[in-house]
């Protein structure tokens, strides 16, 4: 029964005031757990690549959650300001035409419009966050964090290795290294014989046993 | 300027979409499916082939998410949440017992959101004469300025949609898209099919023959 009371309270709150930020933050939170888990469970990838990818995915969703909330709330505050100003102008114009409203009615009309405006602009804020703000923040923040942790992208590792090789060849050549002289060894006359090239065994000579001197069966 | 912005953001359609989990997630997915590939294609730092591949992959992923979402969340989770709430959570509570199903409640909620004038005009049309004519629903809609919206029913439906959205987009969509995207990209010609190297295939019999000859040569050497 306690569990149902909690669910009933959640249902009542969602029914009265469902914000667009709730569902996107929930999706981002679950993605932040599931995506890295699925990545680490992949057996086809190298461990280093898996670690890098999983951490990157986790960081993306960790960044996404506060950005969605922040953009939604900022948009809602701006919406409140805009609608409030617009309603003041509208009510002033209606009163100038001869319409009369009590302060309670004016307050109720203003409150209803502000709630609509906040919800509408919050939705626009969440869409803006998904399309522009989150990709921008991720591109600024993720790489420095990964570098600080000490994890580099697999492509960066390969580039670093190839750069190191190039450095070995091109740099440090200012000092002239002494060239090692190869000492010639004098071979005794008896061993100075022309070196015959090694003959590859041919199908016909193997069985005939002629050129190389090999005999089939030792005879 | 402020009045124009206020008109846009207080538009009933926009507010309705923003407060409806199903509609807002579907709208965001459609925007992402157009916006993200668009940003990839206008990026000048990537080469054209990579841009096409990345944009196509992103579009296919978002399209898969949308298809799963529309097929799964509405029919399964919204309906399921309404029935679960009616049968177990809110058993015997006023509200759920007045509506036969999810669609009837959603139609009632849509009308209750309108002004009294518009509501009365809709309900007096020929095809709506017998609509909601039970449990005092029609009377509420025709007479009251602000009829009962039954927020707990709406909340149960939204909770079901949220759970469905999370399961569909965070868990199911990545797995389904993984199985579907690569074949689709190969079909579009943006991803090359993996084929065995031609030289290795052709020289296999030759290699076997040479190995056999070498083995025979070794046997001859030892015997000699």
């Amino acid at each position: 029964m306690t569990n149902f009371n909690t669910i009933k309270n959640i249902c009542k709150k969602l029914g009265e005031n469902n914000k667009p930020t709730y569902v996107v933050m929930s999706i981002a939170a679950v993605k932040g757990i599931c995506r890295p888990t699925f990545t680490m469970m992949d057996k086809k990838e190298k461990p280093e690549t898996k670690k890098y990818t999983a951490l990157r995915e986790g960081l993306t969703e960790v960044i996404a959650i506060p950005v969605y909330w922040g953009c939604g709330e900022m948009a809602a505050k701006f919406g409140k300001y805009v609608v409030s100003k617009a309603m003041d102008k509208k009510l002033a114009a209606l009163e100038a035409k001869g319409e009369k409203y009590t302060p309670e009615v004016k307050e109720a009309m203003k409150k209803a419009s502000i709630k609509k405006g906040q919800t509408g602009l919050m939705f626009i804020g969440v869409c803006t966050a998904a399309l522009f703000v989150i990709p921008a923040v991720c591109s600024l923040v993720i790489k420095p964090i990964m570098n600080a942790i000490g994890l580099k992208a697999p492509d960066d590792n390969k580039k670093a290795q190839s750069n190191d090789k190039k450095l070995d060849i091109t740099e440090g050549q200012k000092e002239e290294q002494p060239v090692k002289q190869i000492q010639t060894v004098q071979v005794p006359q008896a061993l100075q014989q022309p070196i015959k090239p090694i003959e590859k065994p041919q199908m016909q000579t193997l069985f005939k046993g002629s050129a190389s001197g090999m005999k089939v069966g030792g005879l | 300027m402020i009045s124009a912005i206020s008109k846009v953001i207080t538009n009933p359609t926009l507010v309705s979409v923003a407060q409806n989990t199903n509609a807002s997630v579907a709208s965001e997915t459609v925007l992402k499916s157009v916006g993200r590939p668009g940003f990839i294609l206008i990026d000048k730092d990537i080469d054209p082939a990579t841009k096409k591949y990345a944009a196509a992959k992103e579009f296919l992923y978002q399209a898969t998410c949308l298809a799963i979402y529309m097929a799964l969340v509405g029919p399964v989770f919204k309906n399921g949440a309404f029935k679960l709430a009616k049968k177990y959570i809110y058993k015997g509570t006023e509200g759920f017992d007045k509506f036969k199903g999810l669609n009837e409640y959603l139609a009632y909620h849509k009308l209750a959101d309108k002004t009294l004038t518009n509501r009365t005009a809709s309900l007096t049309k020929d095809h709506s004469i017998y609509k909601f004519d039970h449990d005092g629903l029609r009377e509420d809609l025709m007479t009251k300025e602000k009829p009962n919206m039954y927020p707990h029913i709406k909340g149960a439906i939204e909770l079901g949609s949220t759970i469905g959205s999370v399961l569909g987009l965070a868990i199911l969509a990545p797995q389904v898209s993984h199985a579907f995207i690569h074949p689709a990209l190969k079909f579009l010609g943006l991803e090359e099919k993996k084929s065995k190297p031609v030289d290795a295939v052709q020289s296999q019999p030759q290699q076997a023959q040479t190995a056999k000859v070498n083995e025979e040569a070794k046997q001859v050497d030892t015997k000699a």
Side-chain angles (χ1 to χ4, degrees):
Chain A
M1 293 304 285
T2 323
N3 289 337
F4 282 174
N5 285 336
T6 313
I7 296 172
K8 282 180 183 178
N9 287 335
I10 294 170
C11 289
K12 193 184 171 193
K13 195 174 178 188
L14 282 177
E16 285 167 356
N17 186 21
N18 188 21
K19 293 185 184 179
T21 46
Y22 293 152
V23 67
V24 290
M25 284 170 66
S26 310
I27 292 171
V30 175
K31 267 189 181 174
I33 298 163
C34 290
R35 282 181 77 187
T37 310
F38 290 140
T39 304
M40 293 306 286
M41 280 164 46
D42 189 356
K43 291 174 187 174
K44 293 177 188 173
E45 287 293 338
K46 295 177 196 171
E48 280 176 17
T49 312
K50 279 198 287 189
K51 263 190 222 173
Y52 178 85
T53 311
L55 195 57
R56 201 188 163 114
E57 283 169 351
L59 274 174
T60 304
E61 302 304 331
V62 163
I63 290 167
I65 293 168
V67 171
Y68 275 130
W69 180 82
C71 286
E73 291 301 316
M74 272 173 25
K77 283 199 172 167
F78 182 63
K80 185 180 178 182
Y81 168 77
V82 165
V83 173
S84 186
K85 292 275 180 189
M87 280 305 290
D88 288 340
K89 274 188 184 178
K90 188 180 174 183
L91 288 168
L94 287 168
E95 281 181 337
K97 283 183 184 177
E99 302 257 1
K100 285 180 184 177
Y101 300 102
T102 60
E104 291 83 18
V105 168
K106 276 202 270 186
E107 199 56 43
M109 284 171 69
K110 206 174 166 181
K111 208 176 172 183
S113 289
I114 285 171
K115 194 180 174 186
K116 284 183 181 178
Q118 280 182 315
T119 309
L121 204 52
M122 193 183 262
F123 174 67
I124 293 171
V126 162
C127 291
T128 309
L131 276 175
F132 302 105
V133 182
I134 291 168
V137 172
C138 285
S139 65
L140 284 171
V141 165
I142 283 182
K143 209 168 181 187
I145 294 175
M146 300 295 275
N147 289 339
I149 294 170
L151 280 170
K152 283 187 182 179
D155 290 338
D156 288 349
N157 278 334
K158 283 180 191 173
K159 281 180 189 172
Q161 283 171 11
S162 63
N163 282 340
D164 287 340
K165 283 178 188 173
K166 285 180 187 173
L167 281 169
D168 286 341
I169 296 162
T170 57
E171 286 188 19
Q173 289 281 324
K174 290 175 187 175
E175 296 172 11
E176 281 184 6
Q177 291 174 2
V179 177
K180 287 182 184 174
Q181 288 183 349
I182 301 163
Q183 291 175 344
T184 52
V185 177
Q186 284 187 344
V187 180
Q189 272 189 342
L191 292 172
Q192 281 180 5
Q193 286 175 5
I195 301 163
K196 288 180 186 176
I198 298 164
E199 284 180 17
K200 286 182 187 174
Q202 300 292 325
M203 287 295 287
Q204 48 273 35
T205 55
L206 270 177
F207 291 107
K208 287 177 186 174
S210 55
S212 57
M214 293 194 305
K215 290 177 184 177
V216 177
L219 299 169
Chain B
M1 178 75 173
I2 282 181
S3 303
I5 297 171
S6 175
K7 245 185 177 177
V8 168
I9 64 176
T10 54
N11 184 297
T13 311
L14 178 67
V15 173
S16 171
V17 166
Q19 285 191 322
N20 185 329
T21 306
N22 206 13
S24 64
V25 173
S27 311
E28 281 159 31
T29 310
V30 167
L31 281 172
K32 277 188 203 174
S33 68
V34 172
R36 282 188 181 175
F39 286 126
I40 291 168
L41 287 170
I42 63 175
D43 193 341
K44 290 173 188 175
D45 294 333
I46 317 169
D47 66 282
T50 311
K51 270 199 286 190
K52 266 190 212 174
Y53 177 83
K57 195 173 182 185
E58 185 64 36
F59 174 76
L60 284 169
Y61 175 71
Q62 296 297 338
T64 312
C65 287
L66 187 65
I68 289 170
Y69 192 76
M70 300 310 278
L72 195 70
V73 176
V76 177
F77 284 92
K78 275 173 92 170
N79 243 324
F82 182 88
K83 286 177 183 172
L84 255 170
K86 185 175 180 176
K87 205 171 176 183
Y88 298 106
I89 301 170
Y90 287 99
K91 196 175 180 180
T93 315
E94 193 205 318
F96 274 98
D97 51 346
K98 291 188 177 183
F99 300 98
K100 290 166 197 169
L102 172 71
N103 292 332
E104 195 185 16
Y105 170 76
L106 290 175
Y108 172 88
H109 190 272
K110 198 177 174 183
L111 275 173
D113 222 6
K114 292 182 181 179
T115 57
L116 182 60
T117 326
N118 291 342
R119 236 185 283 146
T120 320
S122 297
L123 285 168
T124 47
K125 285 179 184 173
D126 288 338
H127 60 269
S128 304
I129 290 172
Y130 300 110
K131 245 182 173 177
F132 306 114
D133 59 347
H134 58 87
D135 298 300
L137 291 173
R138 194 177 174 87
E139 195 187 324
D140 278 352
L141 287 170
M142 295 281 272
T143 57
K144 290 185 184 174
E145 193 66 47
K146 285 186 182 179
N148 192 351
M149 301 288 267
Y150 301 101
H152 55 292
I153 303 179
K154 181 90 187 349
I157 296 167
E158 295 304 326
L159 183 62
S161 291
T162 304
I163 292 169
S165 306
V166 167
L167 288 174
L169 295 180
I171 297 168
L172 195 61
Q175 304 304 310
V176 171
S177 65
H178 189 71
F180 162 73
I181 280 180
H182 290 290
L185 288 170
K186 282 173 193 168
F187 179 75
L188 291 168
L190 290 166
E191 198 170 278
E192 286 173 6
K193 289 177 190 174
K194 284 181 185 175
S195 56
K196 291 178 186 175
V198 175
D199 291 338
V201 171
Q202 282 180 349
S203 64
Q204 272 172 11
Q206 285 180 6
Q207 284 176 4
Q209 199 179 8
T210 316
K212 199 179 173 186
V213 164
N214 287 338
E215 244 181 84
E216 285 172 356
K218 280 179 192 172
Q219 284 174 2
V220 164
D221 282 343
T222 53
K223 282 180 184 173

